[in-house]
Structures are given as structure tokens and as C-alpha cells.
Amino acid sequence: MLASMLKEHQAKQATRKEQQEKRRKEATMAAINVTKALVGNVNNRVSMAYVNEKRLDAEARQLQANAAQFAKQSMQWLSLIENFNTALKELGDVENWAKSIEVDMHTISSAMEYALKDT
């Protein structure tokens, strides 16, 4: 009877060890699968971040080129406006000169008319 109890105990213990080994292998496989899934997810996010970084770098270079072109065009516009202002000032000076000459000519004309009336 003791021998049969020992055999029964050893059989149950072997069954438990097999179940425990089976569960350990299942847990190991589950851990491996979770790890692969996490690494895959992280790798996807890292690759997306890398792609986004490259795109941002390209857009930043494009923006910098556009800003430089805009600055160049702005300087050209400022130069044109400055030249236009100078030309307007010169026209104003010519207008003042013409008015001054007109006033002088009117004065001379009046003086000549006055001189002719006296004769």
C-alpha cells in the first residue's frame, strides 16, 4: 500500500511537473510574443519619427530658401521705392523751380506792360 501511494504520488508529481513545464513554455512564448510586439511597435514609431524628421528638415530648408528669396525681393522693392521717392522729390523740385520761373516771368511781364503803358 505504501508503495502504491508512493507510485501514485510520483505519478501526480510527474504530471504536475509536465503541466508546470508546459505552462512555463507557454509563458515564455507569450513573453517573447509580447516583446516582439512591443519592439515592433517601438520600431514603427521610431521609423515614423525618422520619416517625420526628414520631412521637417526638407520643409525647413525650403522655408529658409523661401525666406531668403523673400528678403531679396523685399530689398529690391525697397530699392525701387527709394528710387521712386527720389524721382518724386526731383519732380517736386522741378515743379517749384517752374513755379518760381513762372512768378519771375509774370513779374517781368507786368513790369514790361507797365513800362509800355507809360510810353
Side-chain angles (χ1 to χ4, degrees):
M1 172 157 171
L2 197 55
S4 68
M5 284 177 65
L6 181 62
K7 283 184 183 181
E8 188 180 312
H9 174 69
Q10 287 175 346
K12 284 182 182 179
Q13 205 172 21
T15 305
R16 284 186 190 143
K17 279 186 180 182
E18 286 175 10
Q19 287 177 346
Q20 188 176 16
E21 185 64 25
K22 182 181 174 186
R23 288 181 184 151
R24 186 186 64 78
K25 286 181 183 180
E26 288 174 357
T28 302
M29 288 304 294
I32 288 171
N33 290 338
V34 167
T35 303
K36 283 182 181 179
L38 288 175
V39 168
N41 190 16
V42 169
N43 283 343
N44 285 341
R45 288 183 182 184
V46 168
S47 67
M48 285 176 50
Y50 180 74
V51 167
N52 288 341
E53 181 182 5
K54 285 290 191 183
R55 195 174 82 231
L56 284 173
D57 285 344
E59 288 179 10
R61 281 192 298 272
Q62 182 65 37
L63 181 62
Q64 189 175 18
N66 289 347
Q69 184 180 10
F70 179 70
K72 183 179 177 184
Q73 287 177 343
S74 296
M75 292 303 293
Q76 289 173 343
W77 276 102
L78 286 173
S79 175
L80 285 172
I81 289 171
E82 189 174 325
N83 291 341
F84 182 71
N85 277 340
T86 302
L88 282 178
K89 285 179 185 177
E90 288 174 0
L91 284 176
D93 290 344
V94 169
E95 185 180 359
N96 284 339
W97 174 76
K99 284 182 182 178
S100 175
I101 288 179
E102 184 180 1
V103 168
D104 289 346
M105 293 301 283
H106 191 36
T107 303
I108 291 171
S109 173
S110 296
M112 288 178 82
E113 285 177 11
Y114 182 74
L116 284 176
K117 283 184 184 177
D118 284 345
T119 50

